Amino acid sequence: MRDLSHTSLVTGAAGFLGSHLCDRLLARGDNVIGFDNLLTGSMAKISHLMGHQRFAFIEGDLIEGLPDVDAAEIYNLACAASPLRYQADPVHTFRTSVIGMYNVLERARRTGARVFQASTSEVYGDPEIHPQPETYNGNVNPVGPRACYDEGKRGAETLCFDYKRVHGVDVRVARIFNTYGPRMGGDDGRVVSNLIAQALQGGSLTIYGDGSQTRSFCYVDDLIDGFMGLMELPAAPAGPVNLGSTGEFTIMELAHIVSAMAGAGLAFEMQQLPQDDPQQRKPDISLAHALFGFAPKIELREGLARTIDHFRTAN
Ligand SMILES: NC(=O)c1ccc[n+]([C@@H]2O[C@H](COP(=O)([O-])OP(=O)(O)OC[C@H]3O[C@@H](n4cnc5c(N)ncnc54)[C@H](O)[C@@H]3O)[C@@H](O)[C@H]2O)c1
C-alpha cells in the first residue's frame, strides 16, 4: 500500500516530459510539487493541473537551489533539451546540469529522497557502436557546441554515482533517447516537432544533411512508463538504464511519413548538417526490459497522429 502522503518533486515540470510526468504521478495518487524556471517550458503545459488539490507549482532556477519542501522522490528533468535551446546559453545549460544535479543530490543526501535523473542518449555522442548498450562509454567531443549539454549530462551522471558510492543516495539514471508527443514546443528545433509544425504550415520541410541519419522515436507515454518502472524498482540498478524505442528511421523517412499524415506536399529544404550531429542513434533496451519489462507499445504512425492532432489545436 502506498503512503498517501507521498510527495514527489519534479524539476522541469513545465516542460514537455515534466508535464506528462506530473500527470502520471498525480494519477498514481502522489502529491506533486512542480518546479521550473520557465526557460523552455511554459505554464500552458501545466495549466490543466493548476487548481488540482494535490499539485503545487513553484517558479525558480535549480542552479539557485531546490524549494524547501519535503519530498520522498525527486525527479530531475530541468534542462533545456534541444540543441537550439541548450546552445542559446551554453553556460546556463552546463550549470543547470552539473550544479543543478549537485543541489538535487545534496538535498537527497540530507533527506533520504530517492532521485530520478533524466540523462540522455547524448552521453554516447556520435556512437561508433550500434545499437548503444549502457556499457558503451561514448564518443563525445568535449569542446564542441553540443558539449554544454552532452558533457553537462555526463558530469551529472558522475555526480549521481559518486553520491551513491560515497553517501548511499538512491539514484536512478535514465538515458533517454529521442521522445516525442503532445506538448512538445513547435519552435524548439527538435526534428519531430519541427517537421510537424512545418508540414501543418504547408511550407517545405527542413532536412539537415542528406536525411540518411537515423533516429529512434519513442512516444511520450511509453517513456513515462519507463520512468515509473525504474523508480518503482525495489532496489536501484547498479548503473544508468537506456529508455527509448528501438524502431529506427532515417530522417528522410520520418519527413515523408509526417508530410503524408499532415496532408502536406513534399517539398524539402536541405541544410548543412550541424557540427557533431550523430549519424545513428538507437538504444539497446534489453536492460530496462529485463529489470521492469520495459517495452514501448505505441507505433510511430499512431504516436505521430496523436502529436499532429495536438499541434493542430495547440500550437
Ligand atoms: N525529450 C527528449 O527526447 C529527451 C531526450 C533525452 C533527454 N531528455 C531530458 O529530459 C528532460 C526534459 O526534457 P524535455 O524534452 O521535457 O525538455 P523541455 O525543454 O520541454 O523541459 C525542460 C524544462 O526544464 C526547465 N529548466 C531548464 N533549466 C532550468 C533551471 N536551471 N531551473 C529550473 N528549470 C529549468 C525548462 O523551463 C523546461 O520547462 C531534460 O533534462 C532533457 O535533457 C529529453
Side-chain angles (χ1 to χ4, degrees):
M1 190 66 174
R2 287 185 68 77
D3 172 6
L4 291 178
S5 64
H6 190 98
T7 297
S8 292
L9 173 61
V10 178
T11 79
F16 162 48
L17 296 181
S19 66
H20 285 277
L21 175 62
C22 290
D23 290 347
R24 191 73 70 88
L25 293 170
L26 287 166
R28 183 173 78 171
D30 289 19
N31 300 309
V32 177
I33 298 164
F35 179 67
D36 202 297
N37 66 354
L38 304 178
L39 179 70
T40 54
S42 72
M43 293 307 289
K45 294 188 205 296
I46 50 171
S47 57
H48 60 291
L49 301 179
M50 302 311 283
H52 190 298
Q53 58 174 7
R54 283 184 283 106
F55 181 76
F57 178 75
I58 299 172
E59 186 175 339
D61 196 305
L62 184 59
I63 297 169
E64 309 304 325
L66 287 171
D68 194 12
V69 293
D70 284 333
E73 295 183 354
I74 306 173
Y75 293 80
N76 186 31
L77 276 69
C79 190
S82 74
L84 183 73
R85 295 303 185 90
Y86 67 64
Q87 290 171 17
D89 186 347
V91 176
H92 187 267
T93 301
F94 194 79
R95 296 177 75 221
T96 297
S97 293
V98 178
I99 298 172
M101 188 81 251
Y102 169 79
N103 289 337
V104 168
L105 291 164
E106 267 299 301
R107 172 66 58 84
R109 180 180 70 78
R110 289 198 303 274
T111 64
R114 181 175 292 183
V115 172
F116 172 91
Q117 165 62 358
S119 190
T120 170
S121 56
E122 299 289 338
V123 300
Y124 298 122
D126 191 1
E128 301 125 313
I129 62 166
H130 193 72
Q132 294 84 51
E134 291 85 350
T135 47
Y136 177 53
N137 286 335
N139 175 35
V140 174
N141 174 358
V143 295
R146 300 172 77 105
C148 59
Y149 184 75
D150 302 6
E151 295 291 12
K153 291 285 187 177
R154 287 169 68 97
E157 286 197 6
T158 305
L159 277 174
C160 282
F161 290 97
D162 280 337
Y163 268 77
K164 179 184 166 88
R165 275 186 290 267
V166 177
H167 301 295
V169 173
D170 181 342
V171 290
R172 290 133 195 257
V173 175
R175 288 184 176 158
I176 304 166
F177 285 64
N178 276 33
T179 300
Y180 70 99
R183 302 192 204 137
M184 291 183 91
D187 56 354
D188 67 4
R190 288 189 254 198
V191 63
V192 175
S193 45
N194 238 11
L195 292 175
I196 292 177
Q198 290 176 334
L200 289 178
Q201 283 157 15
S204 50
L205 309 188
T206 308
I207 305 287
Y208 294 95
D210 62 3
S212 66
Q213 66 274 33
T214 69
R215 294 292 185 275
S216 306
F217 302 102
C218 185
Y219 188 68
V220 60
D221 291 0
D222 284 331
L223 182 79
I224 304 291
D225 283 348
F227 288 12
M228 306 304 277
L230 180 56
M231 281 298 267
E232 287 174 2
L233 280 174
V241 178
N242 287 340
L243 293 179
S245 165
T246 52
E248 189 177 7
F249 295 84
T250 68
I251 297 300
M252 193 52 101
E253 282 171 329
L254 176 72
H256 276 89
I257 297 170
V258 167
S259 64
M261 291 185 69
L266 272 185
F268 298 118
E269 186 191 319
M270 312 305 283
Q271 284 193 15
Q272 207 183 353
L273 201 62
Q275 188 186 335
D276 297 331
D277 197 59
Q279 192 54 33
Q280 284 187 311
R281 238 350 137 45
K282 174 172 148 174
D284 178 336
I285 54 170
S286 45
L287 178 60
H289 185 72
L291 286 171
F292 46 88
F294 180 66
K297 294 182 280 294
I298 312 285
E299 296 295 336
L300 182 65
R301 281 178 177 75
E302 184 186 343
L304 285 175
R306 295 185 197 178
T307 311
I308 291 169
D309 272 355
H310 168 82
F311 271 70
R312 280 192 209 280
T313 51
N315 281 290

